[in-house]
Amino acid sequence: MEELLEKVRKKLGIEVEENDMGSAWKLVELLEEKGWVVYIITGKGRKQVDAWHENFGTLFAQFGENPNFGSIFEGILTVALLAKELEEKGVL
C-alpha cells in the first residue's frame, strides 16, 4: 500500500493518508473535473472501482484488467493513477 500512496503523491501531487477515504475522495473529484464518470460498487466479496470517459470508454477495457480490489480505497487510487497514465500518453 505504501508504494501505491507514494505513486499517487508523485504522479498526482495529492497527499493521501492510508485508508483515509476523505483524501481519496479528492481523487474522485479530480477525475470528475476531467470528465470521468467513476463507478464504485461494493458487495460482499466485491470491491469494484472503474471509470468511463467519453473519449475512449471504460478505463479497465483499456488495460484489460478486472477492476476488483481488496478495498475501495485501493481501487480509487489505482483508477486515478491509470487515468493519469492515459493522460500522459495523450489519450485525453
Side-chain angles (χ1 to χ4, degrees):
M1 180 64 69
E2 191 61 40
E3 182 179 328
L4 186 58
L5 294 169
E6 183 65 19
K7 283 182 182 179
V8 167
R9 187 183 66 71
K10 284 183 177 178
K11 290 198 172 266
L12 301 170
I14 295 177
E15 195 72 37
V16 179
E17 297 293 325
E18 188 167 352
N19 295 319
D20 177 9
M21 286 301 290
S23 59
W25 198 255
K26 292 177 186 174
L27 297 172
V28 173
E29 291 171 342
L30 177 68
L31 290 168
E32 181 184 15
E33 289 173 17
K34 294 180 177 187
W36 290 93
V37 176
V38 179
Y39 299 95
I40 298 173
I41 301 170
T42 65
K44 190 172 184 176
R46 183 176 182 190
K47 305 293 182 228
Q48 186 173 337
V49 181
D50 201 350
W52 173 90
H53 193 280
E54 68 180 343
N55 287 350
F56 57 90
T58 303
L59 181 66
F60 277 95
Q62 303 299 316
F63 290 93
E65 299 175 15
N66 182 346
N68 194 33
F69 298 97
S71 70
I72 295 300
F73 179 82
E74 177 188 359
I76 290 171
L77 273 57
T78 302
V79 163
L81 287 169
L82 291 174
K84 179 67 174 176
E85 184 178 327
L86 290 176
E87 290 172 351
E88 289 173 349
K89 291 179 179 178
V91 176
L92 292 178

